[in-house]
Amino acid sequence: MSETNHLSAALGLGRADRAERPFASLADGRRYSYGDVDAVSARFAEALRGLGVKPGDRVAVQVEKSIEAVMLILGTIRAGAAILPLNTGYTTAEIEYFVGNAEPALLVCDPARDAALRPVAEAAGARLETLGVWRDDGAAHGSLLALLPETAAGFAETPRGPDDLAAILYTSGTTGRSKGAMMSHENLASNALTLKDYWRFTADDVLIHALPIFHTHGLFVATNVVLAAGASMLFRERFEPQSVLDDMAAGATALMGVPTFYTRLLEEPGLTRQAAAGMRVFISGSAPLLAETHDRWHARTGHAILERYGMTETGMNTSNPYDGERRAGTVGFPLPGVEVIVTDPASGARLPDGQIGMLEVRGPNVFSGYWRMPEKTAEELRANGFFITGDLGTIDARGYVSIVGRSKDLVISGGYNVYPKEVEGVIDALPGVAESAVIGLPHPDFGEGVTAVVVRADPALTEQAVVAGLAEALARFKQPKRVFFVDALPRNTMGKVQKAALRERYADTYTSRAG
Ligand code: MCA
Ligand code: AMP
């Protein structure tokens, strides 16, 4: 039995020697030191214990981004439970599935969602608490803050070993329902420490944190790298280009973002070489960064964006180098300790460098399986430890990995994954729809725009009616930006819908219009 809490120790929580150092600075003027992080997250851990949350239990959280939410997440880890973060865009129907599947001991939501989610929690046998913010400007505090003990003096973390469950992250699938990727303490700890070193984060760094904290990028990359380095962050509730420019002027050294951050910043006249002069590194991931964006950024700021590649199931796999050439259109080298190979998608046989095939990854970052879905786990995680990513790529003679496509039917919109199969299922169930195909089309802002092509059973069905019909079932970012009607979907001789033909036909839907 482990004596320490593995992830907490890797992130340096409870380390007395840095208690005075700054951790987070908020837009409303509040500041948190590392001593505050230790004290407040310990109080959250004690509150969870008081609510009966036991080691190994799941704590599901759907709350707006706040520093209180960060403390709750850290407190969950320190109490030995597993965190289950949920996108704030998910509808009640979507949450119902996750909570039913993961059976958390506790569901924490925004005060405004209490009425909608209480029946969901009750049906799953979970307790429900609400989490607001600590400000006294009329903002709701919620029930959980009132349960925190005044202090957590003498707090002892629940010991957890490297293989113990730290988090469950749901990712949709190309078939069937969403799968909960089980991340261990070592998965998260190893990745945070590796990235801190690879990207040279130190206690002097100041990260602009403008990503959501319910996915890997904002939580296990951005926040954990800051913690592991003892660095600090300018913690922003959402991404706003002007606020990023202000933060760059106010002493920030690093930014992590999805490509949409960079394309939106490029629209700002204030983005200049001078504005970026204090910055050490700009990092991009979660979706492909166009080489054109990389080049424009370099020309405007003098900085080469550092692109990396990851997945929910694996954390980060590859990264362009800190020193050395950051090659546009590539995702760099396998991270230390991570193996990346290219295999024949049909046979699984390893392919020589230079050929295009399935990217497979193995390392301490790779998850242990999908929650209660052993068959799905066996389909994607080989017995030899390699995870079949569903991304098609190649490795060049110098070792740079490039992603050239996906074998999985997936759309990535503004860094959020949307699985066409899930959207098609909901559209097909609408009255007046015969069948549908959902595709991703080039989109100037989101990279890919979710688009539906529908065959009507009722000729009077409108685009507005289709989108309105999805509101209860699907988060906004999954809903099609446009719906087109056709008499029949193009199919090949096997009867399979030819999505490539549809993508070609509607290719300039978003790019030919302004914005
Ligand atoms: C917002 N909308 C979107 C998206 N975001 N639609 C499609 N895709 C999106 N990503 C909708 C809004 O609901 C709104 O709809 C309309 O688009 C305009 O919203 P806007 O105010 O422009 O959006 P925003 O709030 O500024 O958000 C855009 C964003 C955000 C900043 C790019 O989507 C974002 O923070 N994305 C980051 C996602 C992320 O962290 N991914 C990492 C996953 P309407 O007005 O019609 O209601 S982790 C991962 O992928 C792996 C592990 C990895 O490698 O990192
Ligand atoms: P998620 O399921 O949200 O973890 O998304 C993971 C997927 O995002 C990967 O399988 C890739 O398809 C994609 N992805 C992440 N980073 C990059 C990148 N730098 N370039 C291209 N695709 C990426």
Side-chain angles (χ1 to χ4, degrees):
M1 176 73 179
S2 174
E3 292 300 309
T4 57
N5 183 298
H6 188 72
L7 177 57
S8 182
L11 300 180
L13 296 175
R15 255 177 55 184
D17 61 334
R18 65 181 195 187
E20 302 296 320
R21 292 198 57 89
F23 168 66
S25 163
L26 279 59
D28 61 22
R30 286 184 291 158
R31 288 173 197 286
Y32 277 68
S33 67
Y34 273 91
D36 296 330
V37 176
D38 295 337
V40 176
S41 63
R43 291 166 64 200
F44 270 99
E46 291 288 19
L48 295 182
R49 287 174 181 161
L51 288 170
V53 173
K54 291 187 282 306
D57 279 351
R58 279 79 57 210
V59 173
V61 179
Q62 188 195 32
V63 295
E64 290 299 330
K65 184 176 179 182
S66 70
I67 199 71
E68 290 78 359
V70 173
M71 299 300 147
L72 167 62
I73 292 165
L74 296 176
T76 301
I77 297 296
R78 301 182 88 191
I83 189 76
L84 196 170
L86 293 161
N87 192 318
T88 47
Y90 289 152
T91 64
T92 303
E94 288 169 312
I95 299 293
E96 204 168 352
Y97 168 75
F98 300 123
V99 171
N101 187 254
E103 297 182 345
L106 176 66
L107 170 63
V108 181
C109 68
D110 288 316
R113 299 273 283 149
D114 186 334
L117 291 180
R118 194 162 287 276
V120 172
E122 272 165 18
R127 197 184 163 103
L128 183 114
E129 299 292 343
T130 58
L131 180 67
V133 290
W134 247 311
R135 289 196 312 259
D136 279 321
D137 60 356
H141 288 213
S143 62
L144 191 54
L145 293 178
L147 296 175
L148 302 196
E150 275 301 308
T151 69
F155 172 74
E157 297 192 343
T158 302
R160 294 269 93 185
D163 295 335
D164 283 324
L165 186 66
I168 297 183
L169 298 183
Y170 275 86
T171 91
S172 298
T174 38
T175 55
R177 302 305 307 255
S178 290
K179 303 163 287 187
M182 297 190 287
M183 306 306 292
S184 71
H185 275 241
E186 175 61 2
N187 292 152
L188 304 181
S190 66
N191 220 222
L193 295 173
T194 299
L195 295 173
K196 164 188 81 87
D197 290 341
Y198 207 76
W199 295 337
R200 309 272 173 90
F201 271 79
T202 71
D204 294 331
D205 272 303
V206 181
L207 175 79
I208 303 170
H209 193 309
L211 287 159
I213 54 168
F214 42 69
H215 284 311
T216 297
H217 198 163
L219 191 54
F220 301 141
V221 183
T223 311
N224 283 2
V225 166
V226 166
L227 286 164
S232 69
M233 56 185 178
L234 303 172
F235 191 76
R236 305 299 174 232
E237 281 168 20
R238 56 189 302 273
F239 170 77
E240 281 180 50
Q242 187 54 50
S243 146
V244 171
L245 292 176
D246 293 345
D247 288 343
M248 280 163 52
T253 65
L255 174 69
M256 293 184 194
V258 296
T260 301
F261 280 24
Y262 293 100
T263 50
R264 287 190 183 180
L265 280 164
L266 278 165
E267 300 296 312
E268 296 291 318
L271 181 78
T272 59
R273 202 167 267 262
Q274 169 73 21
M279 293 291 282
R280 184 176 69 76
V281 67
F282 292 94
I283 300 172
S284 176
S286 304
L289 183 79
L290 295 180
E292 184 213 339
T293 309
H294 188 280
D295 294 344
R296 285 175 63 207
W297 191 270
H298 192 247
R300 278 276 282 285
T301 68
H303 285 271
I305 296 175
L306 193 162
E307 185 173 9
R308 68 15 169 223
Y309 157 59
M311 290 185 74
T312 298
E313 288 91 335
T314 63
M316 300 304 102
N317 296 313
T318 73
S319 172
N320 269 279
Y322 189 79
D323 289 324
E325 190 191 351
R326 300 175 190 168
R327 299 189 71 183
T330 82
V331 292
F333 305 115
L335 288 165
V338 180
E339 294 168 84
V340 179
I341 59 172
V342 179
T343 60
D344 181 328
S347 70
R350 190 157 174 184
L351 294 175
D353 282 358
Q355 291 205 26
I356 293 172
M358 177 70 75
L359 293 176
E360 298 193 19
V361 297
R362 178 165 72 180
N365 55 318
V366 174
F367 77 139
S368 53
Y370 294 112
W371 173 257
R372 292 183 183 162
M373 290 186 182
E375 347 59 59
K376 295 275 177 210
T377 303
E379 280 170 24
E380 296 177 37
L381 194 57
R382 294 187 193 280
N384 65 7
F386 273 100
F387 175 64
I388 305 166
T389 62
D391 291 311
L392 300 174
T394 175
I395 305 178
D396 74 13
R398 292 167 61 190
Y400 284 86
V401 178
S402 299
I403 298 172
V404 300
R406 301 177 200 128
S407 71
K408 52 195 172 191
D409 191 14
L410 162 71
V411 179
I412 305 184
S413 169
Y416 288 138
N417 288 8
V418 181
Y419 282 85
K421 176 108 173 102
E422 181 185 7
V423 183
E424 288 160 5
V426 182
I427 296 177
D428 291 352
L430 294 177
V433 171
E435 61 170 344
S436 66
V438 168
I439 52 175
L441 298 176
H443 191 288
D445 188 27
F446 293 122
E448 291 181 291
V450 176
T451 309
V453 184
V454 173
V455 179
R456 283 184 276 219
D458 171 3
L461 184 70
T462 63
E463 178 168 7
Q464 289 73 11
V466 172
V467 176
L470 305 177
E472 300 255 301
L474 294 176
R476 191 84 187 92
F477 69 88
K478 296 180 190 172
Q479 296 171 22
K481 303 266 177 229
R482 286 298 316 271
V483 179
F484 294 104
F485 296 108
V486 292
D487 291 336
L489 295 174
R491 291 181 189 276
N492 65 14
T493 48
M494 308 289 288
K496 193 166 181 270
V497 176
Q498 291 173 306
K499 290 200 169 179
L502 290 175
R503 279 192 289 268
E504 201 173 315
R505 173 162 171 197
Y506 296 106
D508 56 5
T509 298
Y510 306 107
T511 47
S512 65
R513 297 187 308 175

